[in-house]
Amino acid sequence: MKSLLTRLGLAAALLLGSVSGVRAADPKLVVAFLPKSKGNAYFISCKAGADKAAKELGIELLFDGPTDSNAAKQNEIVENWITLGVDAIAVAAENKEGISTALRKAQKQGIKVVTYDADSMPDARSFFVNQATPEGIGQTLMDEAARLLKAEGEFAMITASLTAANQREWQKHIEARLKEKYPKMKLVAVRPCDDLKDKAQSEATALMSANPNLKLIMAICSPGVPGAAEAVKQAGKTGKVKVVGLGLPNENKRYVHEGVTDSVILWNTGDLGYLTIHAAVSLAKGTLKPGAKSYTAGKLGSFTIAGDNILLGKPFIFNKGNIDQFNF
Amino acid sequence: MSSSQPRNWKALLLSHEMLLLYVLIAEWLFFYFAGTTVNRRGVTVGFGTVDRQFDILRHSCEIGLLALALTPVIITAGIDLSVGSLLGLCAILFGKFWKDAGLPIPVAAFLALGCGALGGGLNAALITSLRLPPLIITLGTYSLFRGLAEAITRGAVTYTDFPAGFLFVGQERWLGLPTQAWLFFGVAAAVWLLVHRTTFGRSFRTIGFAPEGARYAGLPVERRVAMVYILAGLIAALAAIIYTARLGQAKADAGTGYELFAITAVVLGGTSIFGGTGSVHGTLLGVAAIAVLKNGLACLPAVMRLNAAEDMSGLLTGALLLLALTGSVLPKLLSSWRAHRPAPAPSAPSPNPQPSP
C-alpha cells in the first residue's frame, strides 16, 4: 500500500512538473473553439482554417465539442473553459438560448466571446461571424443560374419546405434578383422536398415531365441538390437540364464530375474558421471593439461589419475545378 | 469481543465504499495538483478553484439524482432504463405547462413532478402486472417517453426565456452552495433514510435477494416494487426541473444517455446489479468519483491539447467500473479457489521438477 502511494505521488509530481513547465514557458493567448459536434466534417474543415490562424498569430487553440450535437454538453464545455480562464471563446451554437447562459457567464468573467456559423442571443457575445447573408446567397444562386442559362429560359426551384423561415428568406432574394436583372428568365414552379433526397428526386422528375422546356433546377436545401441531380441523370437529361444549388461538396462531388450538377454554392468553411479566430484574438487584445465598421483578418484582407455581424462576404462556388479540394 | 475488534476495523477500511473513497481522494488530489494552473493574467484557474468545484457539483446533480432514484430500484433486483427519457419528457411537459398553458412556475413544476410519478407508475404497473423483466419493460418506456417528448415538440420546439427566479435554481448560489445542490443533498438524505433506516426500505434488500422468500414471509412485494419505480419517476422529474433551470431551456433531447451514467455510478458504488445489496452512500461516492474524473480530466493541459477530455473520461469511467467489479468478485473467487484447492502436502513433488538425465 505504502509503495503504491509513493508511486502515485511520484507520478503526480512528475506530471505536475511537466505541466507547469509547459505553462511557464508558454504565456500564450488561449482561444477556445467550439463546434456543434466535433466529428462533423463541416466543422473539421472550419478548424483547418482556425488552426492556420492560430499558427500565424502564435496563440494556443483549444478545440473541443460534443461528439453529437448536444446543447447541454456545449454548456458544460464552455463552463469548463471559463474555469480554465481562457482569453476568448468562439462558439457555433447548437441551441441559441441554451448556450447564452453559459456565454454570459464567460463575459462576466472578462472572457471575450464571438459566435460563428450559428449565433447565440446577441447580448451573450460581442460579434457573430456571419458566413452568409440571405441576400448574398440569393444573389449568388440567381447569378450562377443566369450565367449557366445565358440569362434566358425556364427554371424551377426545390426548397426544403414552403414555410421554413430561412428558405423563404432565400427565395425572396432569389426572386428579387430575378425580377431586377434577368427579364428573359422565368421561374415556373417552386416545390418543397421536406429536406429529403428521395422526395427531391421525385419532385424533380415531376417538374421535368410537367415542364418540357425546363432548362435548370435550382435546389436551395442541401438534400435537394443531389436529389435533383439523380433525377436529371436517370431521365437522361444530363446537360439539357442543369442543376445548381446550395449544398455540401462531398454529397455532390459525383454529380459535379459526371457533369450533371454544374455548381454547388456554400461558403468557404476554412475562411470561416480563420476569420473567427482572428476576430476572437483581436477582441481579446482589444484591437477590435464593438462598433467597428470593418475588420482586417490577416491574409484574407478586409471584411465588412454590419452592426455586430462580421460578414464573411460572398458565398463560395464549388465546381469541377475546385470541388476536390474540399472534404466535408 | 476484543479479538474481533481489529478485524472489524480492517473489514471496514477495506469495504467497497472505503476503497471507493480512497480512489475519490486520490483522484481529487491528483487533479488538484495536475489540473490547477495560473493563467496569463496571473489568475489561478483550473481544477483547484472554488468555481470549478461548484461546477462539478452543478454538473452532477441531475445524474446524481437519477443514480439516487436507481439505487432502490437496483437493490430490489430491478433496473430502470427509462429515467433519462422520463427526464426529457418531464422537462418538455414542464416547459409546456408554463409557456403554452400559462401556468405559474411552481404549479408547472408540481404538475411535472406528478407526470414523473405517473411515468414511474406506468413502469411499475407493467412490471408488477405482466411479471416481465424490468429490463424489457423499461427498454420499452425508454423509447416511449423519449418518443413522446419528441412528438410533443415535433423535435423542433425548445422552451426558453424562463424567469430569473426560476433560473436561480440552476445557475446561482444560495447559502454558499449552488442552489440545486441543496435539493440534491435533501433527496440524498431522504433516500438514505428510506433505504437504511426504515423497515420499509430494508425490505428492498430482502426483495432483491429472494423475491419468493420475501413473498412467503408476507411482504407485499408487488406494492413495494411499484413504490420504488414511482419514486424513481418522481426523482427523474425533479432532475428534469433542475436540468431545465441549469440550461435555461427544455428540449426533447434533455438527459439523453443519462441513465447509463447513473447505472454506472450505482454499480460503481457497490450496489449489486443482481439486487439484494447496496448502499446510498456508495452511490453518492460513485457519482462523485465519475464527476471528479470527468471534470478533472478536462482541466489537464495535456488532455486539453488532444481535445480528448470527453473520450478519455468515457474510457477511464469504463476502466474504473470494470476494476471495481473485478475487485468485488476477486475475494469470492480467491476464497472459492482456496476451498477447492487440495490441502498442501509437504511430501508433494518439488515445485520445479527438473527432468533428470
Side-chain angles (χ1 to χ4, degrees):
Chain A
M1 198 68 190
K2 200 182 165 194
S3 69
L4 182 71
L5 274 179
T6 347
R7 253 184 260 164
L8 261 178
L10 198 66
L14 271 176
L15 209 111
L16 175 68
S18 68
V19 161
S20 47
V22 170
R23 279 275 139 158
D26 211 7
K28 284 180 181 171
L29 206 78
V30 182
V31 177
F33 192 66
L34 180 70
K36 284 188 186 178
S37 71
K38 68 174 169 179
N40 186 332
Y42 173 87
F43 286 104
I44 291 172
S45 65
C46 288
K47 185 184 175 264
D51 281 334
K52 212 166 86 187
K55 213 170 189 183
E56 269 179 36
L57 294 165
I59 59 140
E60 183 171 351
L61 184 73
L62 299 181
F63 176 81
D64 201 4
T67 41
D68 46 356
S69 300
N70 182 323
K73 275 202 194 122
Q74 277 205 326
N75 279 40
E76 282 166 26
I77 290 167
V78 169
E79 278 167 1
N80 175 32
W81 284 336
I82 294 172
T83 54
L84 289 178
V86 300
D87 298 284
I89 297 178
V91 173
E94 173 62 26
N95 187 282
K96 200 175 173 134
E97 291 89 354
I99 195 76
S100 296
T101 56
L103 296 182
R104 283 187 200 110
K105 197 170 146 191
Q107 286 186 320
K108 239 185 250 169
Q109 313 238 341
I111 297 168
K112 298 294 178 191
V113 178
V114 294
T115 51
Y116 71 98
D117 186 67
D119 199 6
S120 65
M121 303 296 280
D123 68 306
R125 46 81 180 150
S126 305
F127 286 102
F128 170 48
V129 182
N130 191 338
Q131 67 273 34
T133 58
E135 200 179 5
I137 289 176
Q139 289 184 359
T140 308
L141 273 167
M142 194 59 229
D143 290 350
E144 189 63 11
R147 185 184 70 81
L148 291 168
L149 295 189
K150 301 195 172 57
E152 196 174 341
E154 290 184 1
F155 73 104
M157 206 191 295
I158 291 177
T159 73
S161 82
L162 298 173
T163 52
N166 60 350
Q167 302 275 311
R168 277 178 46 188
E169 188 75 11
W170 293 336
Q171 193 183 329
K172 193 180 86 189
H173 287 288
I174 290 166
E175 285 171 1
R177 187 73 163 183
L178 170 68
K179 206 172 159 193
E180 177 197 346
K181 286 194 78 173
Y182 308 109
K184 286 185 182 168
M185 288 182 74
K186 192 179 166 212
L187 177 61
V188 292
V190 180
R191 299 294 307 156
C193 76
D194 301 335
D195 249 332
L196 297 170
K197 192 186 159 194
D198 292 350
K199 180 101 188 286
Q201 189 181 334
S202 58
E203 288 292 349
T205 308
L207 280 170
M208 283 186 286
S209 52
N211 305 283
N213 292 326
L214 196 69
K215 291 280 185 299
L216 178 138
I217 299 173
M218 178 193 290
I220 63 173
C221 59
S222 65
V225 193
E230 188 60 36
V232 168
K233 189 182 160 189
Q234 286 186 11
K237 293 194 173 174
T238 301
K240 286 180 202 132
V241 177
K242 295 177 186 299
V243 179
V244 294
L246 197 64
L248 303 171
N250 271 357
E251 55 191 29
N252 293 297
K253 259 179 201 162
R254 190 155 64 92
Y255 301 109
V256 169
H257 284 303
E258 285 171 359
V260 185
T261 303
D262 291 279
S263 324
V264 179
I265 288 153
L266 202 71
W267 39 91
N268 190 321
T269 46
D271 288 354
L272 178 59
Y274 183 91
L275 173 58
T276 302
I277 294 304
H278 265 276
V281 169
S282 298
L283 259 173
K285 286 183 175 162
T287 49
L288 171 63
K289 289 196 175 73
K293 291 279 167 248
S294 74
Y295 174 66
T296 307
K299 287 177 185 158
L300 289 182
S302 179
F303 293 89
T304 310
I305 300 179
D308 52 11
N309 282 11
I310 304 175
L311 306 179
L312 184 63
K314 278 216 154 195
F316 189 81
I317 299 171
F318 301 94
N319 54 34
K320 224 178 220 171
N322 63 16
I323 199 163
D324 282 336
Q325 299 162 21
F326 298 90
N327 183 26
F328 63 94
Chain B
M1 192 69 204
S2 57
S3 62
S4 70
Q5 198 78 358
R7 188 167 269 214
N8 280 346
W9 270 110
K10 202 180 161 195
L12 180 69
L13 285 176
L14 287 175
S15 71
H16 188 96
E17 283 88 347
M18 287 308 286
L19 289 176
L20 194 54
L21 185 63
Y22 305 146
V23 170
L24 179 62
I25 293 171
E27 266 182 21
W28 199 90
L29 287 174
F30 173 75
F31 290 126
Y32 182 80
F33 287 113
T36 314
T37 45
V38 175
N39 78 352
R40 226 169 37 86
R41 286 164 292 188
V43 184
T44 303
V45 294
F47 191 82
T49 56
V50 179
D51 277 352
R52 186 77 205 167
Q53 299 302 315
F54 284 162
D55 272 351
I56 294 176
L57 204 52
R58 289 175 52 237
H59 292 173
S60 48
C61 270
E62 295 108 35
I63 288 173
L65 281 171
L66 294 188
L68 284 172
L70 280 170
T71 306
V73 171
I74 296 178
I75 288 176
T76 61
I79 192 82
D80 189 345
L81 296 178
S82 71
V83 284
S85 300
L86 191 55
L87 190 160
L89 178 60
C90 290
I92 288 299
L93 288 173
F94 171 69
K96 203 165 177 61
F97 290 143
W98 171 69
K99 196 146 215 170
D100 295 350
L103 297 170
I105 290 277
V107 179
F110 186 75
L111 285 177
L113 289 174
C115 291
L118 273 179
L122 178 66
N123 280 331
L126 291 172
I127 288 164
T128 53
S129 64
L130 299 181
R131 295 275 183 100
L132 282 171
L135 182 76
I136 304 301
I137 300 284
T138 59
L139 189 62
T141 49
Y142 161 85
S143 299
L144 178 75
F145 294 151
R146 184 71 66 196
L148 268 176
E150 273 159 11
I152 290 169
T153 57
R154 274 168 262 108
V157 183
T158 304
Y159 296 101
T160 50
D161 295 329
F162 290 97
F166 173 64
L167 297 179
F168 184 84
V169 175
Q171 298 172 10
E172 303 293 329
R173 287 182 204 168
W174 188 62
L175 300 181
L177 281 181
T179 318
Q180 66 261 56
W182 293 106
L183 288 168
F184 174 62
F185 291 141
V187 172
V191 174
W192 190 87
L193 286 174
L194 173 73
V195 171
H196 294 283
R197 286 288 176 270
T198 64
T199 41
F200 187 83
R202 276 189 275 232
S203 71
F204 297 162
R205 258 160 277 173
T206 318
I207 293 168
F209 191 69
E212 288 310 315
R215 212 167 271 131
Y216 284 126
L219 281 175
V221 173
E222 269 69 32
R223 216 184 312 153
R224 299 264 159 107
V225 167
M227 281 304 301
V228 164
Y229 285 93
I230 293 172
L231 182 69
L234 193 65
I235 297 179
L238 180 64
I241 292 164
I242 291 176
Y243 178 97
T244 308
R246 174 164 70 90
L247 289 182
Q249 65 163 25
K251 198 168 160 237
D253 68 356
T256 308
Y258 278 21
E259 61 281 334
L260 294 183
F261 284 113
I263 293 170
T264 308
V266 174
V267 176
L268 187 62
T271 298
S272 164
I273 199 79
F274 302 113
T277 58
S279 69
V280 174
H281 41 279
T283 295
L284 291 176
L285 286 171
V287 170
I290 293 176
V292 167
L293 184 65
K294 194 175 157 198
N295 281 275
L297 277 172
C299 292
L300 295 182
V303 175
M304 253 169 2
R305 283 191 196 136
L306 291 170
N307 316 316
E310 192 82 16
D311 325 312
M312 264 187 83
S313 71
L315 192 145
L316 286 178
T317 307
L320 192 61
L321 180 66
L322 290 178
L323 205 70
L325 290 178
T326 322
S328 67
V329 175
L330 212 57
K332 279 181 215 155
L333 274 181
L334 275 178
S335 62
S336 78
W337 179 66
R338 275 200 203 110
H340 287 290
R341 198 176 52 167
S347 59
S350 87
N352 43 349
Q354 291 279 330
S356 48

